[in-house]
């Protein structure tokens, strides 16, 4: 298959693609956000474990959040691993928050200036519910510092909806059956969440927006860098579809493919909806389910080997008029049946794959389906889904199969999805709404002083797009500018540029491409700073030096130093 | 809507600004300020917050504060009032299930947001409880009775007496078990005094609370309530007990004797510990497992010995090195009738206090010695100081914790002021407030960092 062009504007415009980002980036503080635990490199080591469950609670406006109710249905046991060096009773939710980390606040305020936000005068800490267990309190403490900002991306103004300062969640270690295990060292590290408006029109633009925010973060010098310190949530919708959030994408280069296939998935789901409606399928078509334990033992023993042991049950759900629908393709290697299977895995916690079988499956146990159809007085036009496992999980699974089919009748369900290594996504949870927000009653509002605003304003560097324009104007290529910024070498460049006589593009070459090459070749490059460059290339004669010769001179100097 | 409601919580510049632009709480507005434009619903202002900001709830669910002084224009698009209620469903009744009364005194077993203070306030009706903890209906038929709505530090003699009478009344009316919702801070005080006021109850009397309020997904409230209700229904331990988390993990609860339990951590879920002994029982969703046999059994009669009296002219003196005698003198001069000393070590205070203590005893004040180590007995024969103090008339109170001794002394002084009788009553245990012996595992505080403890923690889930 030819690689699709992710910047084909007319194609994505025909779908009505809209895409926005939520960029989560850790701030480079010494301590966590609400306690004095240090921020350390991640480690799998732990000294103790605790076990918790989560229950949904009402939002401030008196509603339950749908995601919260979904997580409650999963009956998950959450285990937290605790390392004495990185976790205290606060992260364990055995102590209230101490005070807000002022260094983190200051850093986030500087970034608010850089994103041109309308800044909030008084911060209100909110609790954002997360019942997946990723935070032991069951909520993330988060606050909005500013709204309605903007960035420039490829010459377009892109709106920034808001910047939040929040605490990091745990790192998931494993999630099997009804047990999910987390490591807590990352928990409560301060991070900013930058939310853009849904103004990317193509998958490529979404990645470009992420790139701009990344460069702004680097330019600030206030964030942590490296893998595991930044994650992007990507929101995608098409005309007639729904907002779907692809969670926690670690690398920007993954974004275009994920957005593309999500757009196509939504389009395919709309086709499924139309097919279902055209063939007269109504919500009542999914109401029947029946016990098929004996038939499954007889006809699908191999398939359900593990899951038909001791007291477990198998149930069939009859989907009237739906034969052929479950095999409708939704993306590479994905069908509607994959979506149903995801729900069973995530919500009913039946996660030995395959966790279901359906009558659209060419290798499926036909005799089992036939028997289910016979018992249910169903015919060949009706699809059958069979699930097996512990009774309680099967009851949940049957309900989820029905729920997912009801959603298929509506079109595209609002979900958060997880990026798979294959470049497509799978269901993670229902998309939460504003009902998961609740004011934090443990800490009073934080009034920001005029002085704090002024200090942030003073410390904020020039706007990224102004700085980039200056670099480009001095003859650097866009690729050089990007690399200078994202490798943080722009600091050395800025310090050196007035002290060397080199052409700017040669200086940039030395600091990014050539420096990386040297390091890979095993040359110690730690001494490559503005002083060295000034000593080597400060003379007027260097104005005409060729890139190749400058590189040679630099390499020699570094080797001599080592 | 009154003017007060329209501007709920706003004062000073905030109130003036709302009035100036003729907008009030729950109005959906667009605020133009020096910092830019903000759209959202105006929320009531907490009374404890300053008077210079207006709070908006943005569409995203976040709240932000805008400085009143920076507002240039506020325009309203209508009202969108929040309707905060805990889902209320009728509590199902089943004649086959035991009847439990839940008395409310305050605390956060179930709670909701209070816009006046920005803090949480308790919610309590059976319907509300059923809405938030539906599992209760599998355990019992529940009726609730709100006696007080106070934080536990505001419980005092009047509340204790009222509570004891209510509990006795409920026992006599034939319920199968009693649960008392109570703030955790002074739960052990109330548990102790109830142990003296409600003797030999025919059914379990179980106190319960939560360390994390029930408006949090990780709250211990629901599980504590489920455990306490089960204990009240099923357990055959007919004593005054506290039912709270055993470990910090959501694993099981412990039933503690009302006179031996103490809150030992300001915030941990596993804060309640039995001091100087082992708990009565372990309780999980699966079972109630007694850890001892020497408890009073549930009886079919509906009897209870109610003795709800208290003399509040009692105090604790928490001794510290360098304490001056005027502390004791002040109590005596102010008419206090009983003093519990929390002494050092085996029960000691410094010499300068001797004359003051002698004077107190001479004036008829009853002085008892307990230990601030909490664990262990007072033993005043080992050192001269102890013997001197006993000569002055200070009576060693065995292994009552200071708080329990205080509760007992207040209760005792409501019966008698006679020195011998007070001494006799204080030292005659009513509900295990003094035990004959401290078992070897009655004092266990594991020390973190030790290899053997590390092994235990890693294998166990604390």
């Amino acid at each position: 298959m030819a690689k699709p062009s992710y910047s084909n504007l007319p194609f994505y415009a025909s779908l009505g693609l809209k895409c926005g980002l939520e960029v989560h980036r850790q701030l480079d503080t010494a301590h966590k956000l609400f306690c004095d635990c240090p921020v350390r490199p991640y480690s799998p080591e732990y000294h103790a474990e605790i076990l918790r469950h989560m229950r949904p609670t009402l939002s401030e406006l008196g509603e339950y959040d749908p995601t919260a109710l979904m997580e409650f249905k999963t009956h998950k046991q959450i285990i937290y691993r605790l390392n004495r060096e990185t976790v205290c009773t606060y992260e364990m939710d055995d102590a209230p928050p101490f005070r807000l980390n002022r260094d983190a606040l200051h850093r986030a305020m500087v970034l608010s200036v850089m994103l041109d936000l309308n800044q909030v005068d008084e911060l209100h800490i909110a609790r954002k519910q997360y019942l997946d267990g990723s935070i032991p309190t069951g909520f993330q403490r988060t606050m909005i510092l500013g709204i309605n900002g903007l960035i420039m991306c490829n010459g377009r103004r892109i709106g920034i909806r808001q910047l939040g300062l929040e605490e990091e969640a745990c790192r998931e270690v494993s999630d099997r059956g009804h047990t999910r295990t987390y490591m807590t060292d990352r928990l409560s590290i301060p991070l900013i969440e930058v939310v853009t408006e849904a103004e990317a029109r193509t998958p490529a633009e979404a990645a470009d927006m992420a790139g701009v925010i990344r460069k702004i973060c680097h330019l600030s010098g206030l964030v942590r860098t490296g893998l595991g310190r930044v994650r992007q949530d990507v929101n995608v919708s098409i005309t007639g579809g729904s907002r779907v959030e692809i969670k926690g994408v670690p690398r920007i280069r993954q974004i275009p493919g994920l957005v593309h296939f999500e757009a196509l998935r939504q389009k395919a789901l709309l086709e499924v909806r139309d097919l279902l409606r055209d063939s007269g399928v109504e919500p009542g078509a999914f109401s029947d389910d029946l016990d098929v334990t004996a038939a499954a033992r007889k006809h699908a023993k191999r398939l359900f080997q593990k899951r038909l042991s001791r007291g477990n049950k198998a149930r069939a759900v009859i989907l009237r008029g739906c034969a052929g629908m479950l095999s409708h393709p939704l993306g590479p290697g994905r069908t509607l049946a994959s979506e149903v299977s995801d729900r069973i895995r995530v919500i009913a916690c039946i996660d030995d794959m395959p966790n279901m079988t359906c009558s659209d499956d060419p290798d499926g146990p036909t005799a089992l389906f036939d028997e289910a159809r016979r018992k249910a007085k169903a015919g060949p036009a009706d699809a059958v889904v069979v699930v097996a496992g512990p009774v309680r999980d099967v009851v949940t699974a049957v309900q989820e199969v029905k729920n997912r089919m009801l959603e298929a009748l509506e079109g595209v369900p609002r979900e958060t999805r997880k990026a798979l290594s294959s470049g497509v996504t799978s269901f993670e949870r229902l998309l939460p709404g504003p009902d998961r927000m609740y004011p934090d009653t443990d800490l009073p509002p934080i009034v920001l002083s005029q002085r704090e605003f002024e200090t942030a304003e003073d410390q904020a560097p020039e706007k990224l797009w102004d700085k980039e324009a200056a670099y480009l104007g001095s003859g650097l290529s866009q690729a050089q500018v990007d690399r200078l910024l994202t490798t943080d070498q722009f600091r050395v460049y800025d310090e050196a540029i007035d002290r060397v006589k080199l052409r700017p593009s040669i200086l940039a070459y030395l600091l990014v491409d050539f420096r990386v090459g040297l390091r890979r070749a095993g040359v110690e490059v730690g001494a490559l700073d503005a002083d060295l460059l000034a000593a080597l290339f400060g003379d007027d004669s260097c104005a005409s030096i060729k890139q190749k010769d400058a590189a040679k001179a630099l390499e020699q100097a570094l080797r001599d130093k080592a | 809507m009154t003017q007060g409601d329209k501007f709920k919580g706003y004062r000073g510049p905030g109130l003036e600004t709302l009035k100036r632009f003729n907008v009030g709480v729950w109005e959906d507005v667009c605020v133009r300020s020096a910092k830019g434009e903000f759209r959202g619903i105006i929320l009531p202002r907490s009374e404890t917050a300053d008077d210079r900001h207006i709070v908006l709830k943005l569409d995203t669910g976040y709240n932000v504060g805008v400085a009143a002084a920076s507002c240039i224009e506020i325009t309203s698009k209508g009202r969108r009032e929040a309707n905060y209620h805990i889902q209320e469903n009728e509590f199902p009744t089943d004649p086959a299930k035991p009847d439990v009364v839940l008395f409310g005194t305050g605390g956060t077993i179930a709670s909701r947001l209070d816009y006046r203070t920005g803090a949480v306030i308790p919610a309590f009706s059976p319907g509300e409880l059923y809405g938030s903890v539906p599992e209760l209906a599998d355990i019992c038929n529940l009726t609730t009775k709100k006696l007080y709505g106070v934080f536990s530090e505001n419980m005092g003699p009047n509340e204790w007496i009222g509570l004891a009478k209510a509990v006795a009344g409920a026992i006599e009316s034939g319920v199968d078990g009693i649960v008392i919702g109570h703030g955790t801070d002074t739960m052990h005080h109330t548990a102790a005094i109830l142990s003296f006021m409600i003797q030999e109850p025919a059914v379990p009397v179980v106190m319960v609370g939560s360390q994390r309020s029930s408006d949090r997904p990780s709250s211990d409230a629901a599980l504590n309530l489920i455990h306490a209700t089960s204990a009240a229904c099923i357990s055959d331990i007919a004593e005054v007990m506290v039912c709270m988390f055993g470990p910090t993990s959501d694993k099981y609860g412990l039933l503690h004797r009302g006179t031996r339990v103490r809150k030992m951590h300001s915030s941990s879920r596993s804060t309640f510990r039995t001091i100087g002994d082992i708990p009565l029982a372990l309780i999980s969703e699966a079972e109630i497992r007694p850890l001892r046999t020497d408890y009073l059994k549930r009886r079919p009669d509906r009897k209870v010995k109610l003795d709800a009296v208290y003399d509040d002219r009692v105090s604790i003196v928490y001794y510290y090195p360098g304490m001056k005698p005027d502390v004791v003198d002040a109590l005596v001069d102010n008419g206090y009738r009983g003093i519990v000393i929390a002494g050092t070590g085996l029960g000691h205070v410094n010499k300068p206090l001797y004359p003051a203590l002698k004077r107190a005893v001479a004036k008829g004040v009853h002085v008892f010695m307990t230990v601030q180590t909490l664990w262990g007995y007072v033993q005043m024969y080992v050192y001269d100081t102890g013997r001197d103090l006993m000569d002055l008339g200070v009576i060693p109170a065995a292994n009552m914790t200071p708080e329990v001794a205080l509760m007992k002394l207040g209760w005792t002084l409501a019966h008698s002021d006679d020195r011998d009788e007070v001494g006799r009553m204080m030292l005659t245990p009513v509900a295990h407030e003094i035990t004959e012996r401290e078992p070897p595992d009655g004092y266990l505080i594991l020390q973190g960092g030790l290899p053997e403890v590390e092994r235990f923690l890693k294998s166990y889930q604390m």
Side-chain angles (χ1 to χ4, degrees), chain B residues 121-326:
Chain B
I121 55 174
F124 187 63
S125 76
E128 287 172 334
L129 282 175
Y130 181 56
S132 45
V133 193
E135 293 96 322
L136 294 177
D138 301 333
I139 302 171
C140 65
N141 299 315
L142 187 70
T143 52
T144 62
K145 208 164 191 176
K146 182 176 168 182
L147 295 177
Y148 314 106
V150 296
F151 291 124
S152 78
E153 60 272 22
N154 298 320
M155 290 290 288
N158 291 335
E159 288 76 20
W160 298 329
I161 290 169
L163 176 58
K165 287 180 175 168
V167 168
I171 294 172
E172 283 161 357
S173 79
V175 299
D176 299 301
I178 286 165
V179 177
I180 301 166
H182 197 287
T184 57
D185 283 6
T186 67
M187 193 187 284
H188 56 277
H189 295 84
T190 304
I193 193 64
L194 286 185
S195 301
F196 306 131
M197 290 180 171
I198 305 165
Q199 295 177 30
E200 297 169 34
V203 299
V205 178
V206 189
M207 299 192 67
V208 69
S210 70
Q211 282 289 89
R212 295 277 91 75
S213 58
S214 58
D215 59 346
R216 300 160 200 254
S218 64
S219 171
D220 53 339
L223 197 53
N224 277 331
L225 194 55
I226 291 167
H227 287 157
T229 312
S230 300
C233 287
I234 305 158
S235 153
D236 68 340
I237 309 173
E239 297 193 14
V240 175
M241 298 174 272
V242 163
C243 177
M244 291 287 288
F245 265 38
T248 179
S249 288
D250 287 6
K251 285 166 77 178
Y252 56 84
L254 293 174
L255 291 176
H256 302 275
R257 216 158 228 158
T259 54
R260 296 239 57 90
V261 66
R262 195 174 190 281
K263 185 175 187 179
M264 299 303 290
H265 192 279
S266 62
S267 58
S268 169
R269 288 164 173 76
S270 57
T271 181
F272 282 93
R273 301 281 102 178
T274 286
I275 305 292
D277 212 330
I278 62 168
L280 281 165
L282 184 153
I283 178 161
S284 67
E285 279 178 78
E287 59 165 354
I288 298 177
R289 194 197 310 164
L291 300 173
R292 51 197 309 152
T293 53
D294 64 341
Y295 52 82
L296 296 175
K297 298 278 193 299
R298 180 192 283 273
R299 302 186 309 272
D301 67 65
R302 300 298 179 189
K303 291 186 182 150
V304 56
K305 281 192 205 160
L306 177 67
D307 190 356
V309 292
Y310 195 84
D311 185 331
D312 66 1
R313 293 171 297 171
V314 289
S315 183
I316 295 183
V317 171
Y318 193 103
Y319 174 73
Y320 48 87
M323 179 180 268
K324 292 179 187 151
D326 54 2

Side-chain angles (χ1 to χ4, degrees), chain A residues 396-407:
Chain A
T396 310
V398 163
Q399 197 50 52
E400 286 312 311
V401 172
K402 295 177 179 184
N403 288 346
R404 185 61 189 85
M405 290 307 293
L406 288 172
E407 289 170 358

Side-chain angles (χ1 to χ4, degrees), chain A residues 165-180:
Chain A
L165 173 62
E166 39 189 52
E167 51 186 351
E168 260 280 21
C170 295
R171 295 188 295 127
E172 188 179 299
V173 176
S174 64
D175 184 8
R176 293 289 291 159
H178 292 281
T179 305
R180 193 179 283 149

Side-chain angles (χ1 to χ4, degrees), chain A residues 3-312:
Chain A
K3 198 178 166 190
S5 165
Y6 293 136
S7 47
N8 183 343
L9 186 54
F11 171 69
Y12 295 107
S14 73
L15 294 177
L17 174 69
K18 274 190 189 168
C19 177
L21 301 171
E22 296 166 23
V23 178
H24 303 262
R25 169 73 79 158
Q26 291 181 7
L27 295 169
D28 193 12
T29 57
H31 298 282
K32 293 190 175 179
L33 192 53
F34 289 108
C35 64
D36 281 332
C37 282
V39 178
R40 296 262 168 88
Y42 303 146
S43 154
E45 253 177 70
Y46 64 99
H47 302 109
E49 287 185 341
I50 51 174
L51 168 80
R52 297 273 167 79
H53 304 97
M54 297 289 160
R55 291 179 79 92
T57 59
L58 286 176
S59 80
E60 189 185 8
L61 297 180
E63 306 291 336
Y64 282 112
D65 184 73
T67 324
L69 289 175
M70 181 212 102
E71 290 289 353
F72 190 52
K73 280 197 265 179
T74 64
H75 301 281
K76 285 274 184 196
Q77 310 234 41
I78 316 285
I79 292 171
Y80 298 103
R81 294 187 172 164
L82 313 169
N83 183 317
R84 186 192 306 117
E85 306 299 324
T86 50
V87 170
C88 70
T89 49
Y90 169 68
E91 288 96 326
M92 289 168 65
D93 189 34
D94 257 340
F98 296 88
R99 64 209 161 278
L100 178 72
N101 181 334
R102 285 280 167 171
D103 181 35
L105 174 59
H106 169 70
R107 287 165 190 262
M109 287 178 75
V110 172
L111 281 149
S112 299
V113 173
M114 295 176 73
L115 292 164
D116 226 359
L117 292 156
N118 299 346
Q119 297 194 64
V120 169
D121 298 308
E122 182 188 65
L123 306 181
H124 287 249
I125 302 169
R127 301 177 183 168
K128 194 197 282 183
Q129 276 200 14
Y130 280 97
L131 267 73
D132 59 356
S134 59
I135 305 187
T137 45
F139 54 78
Q140 180 184 41
R141 288 195 163 88
T142 166
M143 67 211 87
I144 292 296
L145 266 64
I147 62 171
N148 296 343
L150 73 91
I151 56 171
M152 295 301 292
C153 180
N154 305 333
R156 282 180 72 216
R157 295 162 63 99
I158 302 289
I160 299 295
R161 188 173 298 164
Q162 63 188 36
L163 178 141
L165 173 62
E166 39 189 52
E167 51 186 351
E168 260 280 21
C170 295
R171 295 188 295 127
E172 188 179 299
V173 176
S174 64
D175 184 8
R176 293 289 291 159
H178 292 281
T179 305
R180 193 179 283 149
T181 304
Y182 290 102
M183 186 68 212
T184 48
D185 53 357
R186 191 178 76 183
L187 179 62
S188 291
I189 294 175
L191 63 81
I192 49 160
E193 184 201 46
V194 178
V195 183
T196 75
E197 296 295 344
E199 290 176 347
R201 301 164 301 179
T202 66
E205 276 184 0
D208 290 344
M209 277 157 52
V212 170
I213 294 169
R214 179 184 182 205
K215 285 184 279 184
I216 289 172
C217 287
H218 276 271
L219 183 59
S220 77
L222 302 174
V223 302
R224 280 180 196 277
T225 56
L227 200 64
R229 303 299 185 179
V230 60
R231 291 187 304 285
Q232 279 94 189
D233 297 347
V234 187
N235 288 296
V236 183
S237 70
I238 65 166
T239 305
S242 300
R243 181 162 86 84
V244 163
E245 182 174 322
I246 305 167
K247 288 290 269 188
V249 181
R251 296 173 195 276
I252 291 174
R253 65 168 179 268
Q254 294 170 275
I255 292 176
L258 289 167
V259 173
H260 172 78
F261 285 114
E262 176 53 26
L264 295 190
R265 191 186 70 94
Q266 295 201 13
K267 182 166 175 271
L269 281 172
L270 295 177
E271 288 162 12
V272 168
R273 178 196 63 191
D274 294 343
L275 284 170
L276 287 170
R277 287 183 180 172
D278 289 349
S279 38
V281 176
E282 288 180 355
F286 315 132
S287 49
D288 293 340
D289 61 272
L290 56 149
D291 187 291
V292 291
T293 311
R297 285 218 166 94
K298 195 164 142 202
H299 302 301
K301 200 171 170 212
R302 262 174 63 86
L303 184 69
F304 288 137
Q305 249 170 13
K306 270 190 233 162
R307 290 192 299 282
L308 278 173
S309 57
R310 294 167 273 124
N312 283 1

Side-chain angles (χ1 to χ4, degrees), chain A residues 398-428:
Chain A
V398 163
Q399 197 50 52
E400 286 312 311
V401 172
K402 295 177 179 184
N403 288 346
R404 185 61 189 85
M405 290 307 293
L406 288 172
E407 289 170 358
L409 268 182
E410 299 296 315
V412 184
R414 293 160 58 86
E415 297 174 340
T416 67
R417 299 180 66 85
K418 189 158 69 178
L420 302 177
S421 51
S422 56
V424 293
T425 59
S426 71
F427 172 76
E428 188 172 69

